[in-house]
Amino acid sequence: MTTGEQLPLDVRPVTEAEIPDWTRALNTGFLRSPEVSDAEIADRRSSIDPARTLGAFDRGRCVATFRSFAQELTVVGGATVPADAVTSVTVTATHRRRGLLTRMMARDLAAARERGDVVATLIAAEYPIYGRYGFGPATWATEWTIDVPRAGLDARRPAPDGGGRVDLVDADDVRKLGPELHERLRRVQPGAIDRTERWWQVNTGAVRLDRSPWTEPFHAVYRAADGTVEGLAAYVCDDTWTDAKQPLNTATVKSLIAVSPAAERALWLHVCATDWVVKVKSGRRAPDDLLPFLLPDPRAAVITTQADWLWVRILDVVRALEARTYAGRGSLVLEIADEAGGWARGRWLLEASPEGASCAPTTRSADLTLDVRELAPLWLGDESAVRLVALGRVREERAGAARLADALLRTSRRPWCPDMF
């Protein structure tokens, strides 16, 4: 080997003994302190699958990280598909531009396809990276900041309409009530993902992580007139006052899920009507969330963040297109390019109707030509084929095909993923 020549890097699943080094590399990649506590190592060992936890090693030191786990993703119509959830992706600054992410991603996606996963999912820290692996942004997230005094709410805080009520509960109650409520939500919310028992433990403080400082939130539950739980909110408040003893507190919503408009309305008004709170930060919501228009003055809610959220990579075109429902009726031939892995490549005939759908390879002429990364937002109902044609990201081969695709694929409400992973 000549002077300065680089040794090949070893990309492989980590061993139990390498988890501390892998965790240190993960923290370094995310610009957190590289220090790793015994508690963090113990948590990693109990919560990750080493067989699905990859590292790149240079002379025995971990310099890149990658992990995946099993997930369920809700599609249009309420069915779920098995997903390969990708997370913990980092490359140490000293080893960038050496193909490490490409090697780890190729290995993981091939294993996901072999397992029978229909899609892969991730939350992208940076926009430009994941399109080259076939991922496309399939849901978006919007955050609002509400100027409460300007919102025009009734200071008398009337009780919720229809005989429902809002109560504050503790974390033990949330762990009992929350999972069933979330299951009801995700069965009707395209873009939602499953929450494990560990999710509820971590997000209610039963399991506390060194890397995530914990502040106990307030938990508010909405019950309908018959006592059915229809909504749950978690929020924290700061303690800010002026020199003249005027409150300037901000309530930050950590999570708010609801299965009825009445519950959604009641919980938002509860948070906004809390004494001393003059500002409310909504957390990540769907871009078409009801929130601004629940206020007498919607201009009191200002968008502070609007960005891509859940990215999806289609691994099995047939199962993906057959899993969702369609409000309209029609046939569409999609010519899909897939340079990243080839799993979606081909020409596919979709026959859709309200009664069901079929998808199969075909030799018929294409109606639309697109890359696999454009398929995901169309499949989940968020994007317009007409818009993608105008952007030059989809090519219309038959006049009117983009309008037909919109009629078949788009949804009346936008998909939403409430969670980070």
Side-chain angles (χ1 to χ4, degrees):
M1 185 174 68
T2 61
T3 302
E5 185 177 345
Q6 294 176 335
L7 289 169
L9 301 182
D10 187 18
V11 173
R12 55 174 172 76
V14 301
T15 66
E16 283 282 337
E18 290 168 334
I19 288 176
D21 190 29
W22 183 90
T23 304
R24 187 177 299 108
L26 175 68
N27 289 345
T28 299
F30 283 135
L31 300 183
R32 301 192 291 248
S33 170
E35 182 181 8
V36 180
S37 68
D38 291 342
E40 183 171 6
I41 293 170
D43 177 68
R44 291 291 183 189
R45 283 186 167 138
S46 68
S47 62
I48 66 175
D49 178 357
R52 295 181 65 165
T53 303
L54 302 178
F57 294 86
D58 185 355
R59 297 175 177 88
R61 183 181 181 87
C62 189
V63 295
T65 65
F66 188 109
R67 183 169 75 87
S68 69
F69 60 93
Q71 186 183 77
E72 289 184 351
L73 173 67
T74 303
V75 304
V76 178
T80 63
V81 296
D84 176 55
V86 173
T87 187
S88 302
V89 178
T90 73
V91 177
T92 302
T94 54
H95 287 72
R96 297 170 66 238
R97 304 294 184 265
R98 295 173 65 176
L100 296 180
L101 174 55
T102 297
R103 291 171 63 187
M104 293 188 294
M105 183 69 78
R107 182 171 184 151
D108 183 78
L109 293 183
R113 171 69 184 192
E114 182 68 21
R115 279 193 306 270
D117 291 335
V118 174
V119 299
T121 62
L122 56 83
I123 308 291
E126 297 180 67
Y127 193 99
I129 294 175
Y130 294 100
R132 65 179 183 262
Y133 305 116
F135 288 83
T139 80
W140 289 67
T142 303
E143 297 185 67
W144 284 271
T145 297
I146 303 168
D147 182 345
V148 174
R150 182 181 173 181
L153 296 168
D154 187 345
R156 295 170 297 176
R157 293 179 294 174
D161 296 333
R165 58 179 292 158
V166 174
D167 295 302
L168 290 177
V169 298
D170 61 24
D172 286 338
D173 294 316
V174 173
R175 287 189 287 272
K176 295 173 185 175
L177 301 172
E180 191 275 335
L181 176 67
H182 180 261
E183 282 298 301
R184 292 171 61 198
L185 171 69
R186 80 179 181 103
R187 295 302 175 184
V188 297
Q189 178 59 65
I193 56 177
D194 59 317
R195 290 179 176 176
T196 64
E197 181 180 353
R198 175 179 166 79
W199 187 98
W200 291 100
Q201 295 284 319
V202 170
N203 285 275
T204 58
V207 171
R208 302 194 181 186
L209 308 178
D210 285 0
R211 60 187 178 274
S212 303
W214 176 253
T215 299
E216 185 75 18
F218 300 99
H219 298 287
V221 62
Y222 173 85
R223 291 182 172 88
D226 64 0
T228 304
V229 173
E230 293 187 347
L232 182 64
Y235 58 97
V236 295
C237 296
D238 63 12
D239 185 20
T240 306
W241 293 71
T242 71
D243 291 339
K245 296 184 66 177
Q246 295 297 314
L248 292 176
N249 294 294
T250 297
T252 300
V253 174
K254 312 298 288 184
S255 173
L256 191 153
I257 58 174
V259 295
S260 70
E264 196 168 349
R265 177 189 299 271
L267 289 171
W268 281 120
L269 297 185
H270 163 76
V271 176
C272 290
T274 299
D275 287 342
W276 300 352
V277 168
V278 299
K279 185 185 297 182
V280 172
K281 294 184 177 181
S282 71
R284 294 179 296 268
R285 312 296 303 171
D288 61 348
D289 197 85
L290 302 180
L291 173 58
F293 299 99
L294 297 175
L295 306 174
D297 184 353
R299 293 183 184 179
V302 176
I303 292 176
T304 49
T305 302
Q306 179 140 319
D308 55 283
W309 190 241
L310 183 72
W311 288 58
V312 173
R313 204 271 192 226
I314 305 293
L315 295 170
D316 189 325
V317 173
V318 172
R319 291 171 65 200
L321 289 174
E322 290 183 348
R324 59 158 288 171
T325 59
Y326 301 84
R329 187 182 304 273
S331 301
L332 202 61
V333 178
L334 304 174
E335 179 86 38
I336 301 174
D338 185 357
E339 300 304 320
W343 301 291
R345 183 186 302 126
R347 190 176 300 170
W348 309 91
L349 170 62
L350 170 65
E351 298 271 12
S353 74
E355 291 77 37
S358 65
C359 179
T362 184
T363 58
R364 282 174 44 174
S365 298
D367 296 320
L368 297 174
T369 299
L370 64 157
D371 189 85
V372 63
R373 62 179 176 264
E374 313 300 348
L375 180 60
L378 291 173
W379 169 69
L380 213 50
D382 194 54
E383 187 55 275
S384 160
V386 171
R387 184 169 180 261
L388 292 179
V389 168
L391 288 167
R393 289 156 52 185
V394 169
R395 188 167 69 246
E396 188 175 52
E397 309 290 2
R398 177 177 60 82
R403 290 195 300 274
L404 173 59
D406 282 354
L408 291 176
L409 297 168
R410 294 206 80 181
T411 54
S412 55
R413 292 291 302 273
R414 297 182 70 172
W416 176 49
C417 178
D419 296 318
M420 163 75 89
F421 57 91

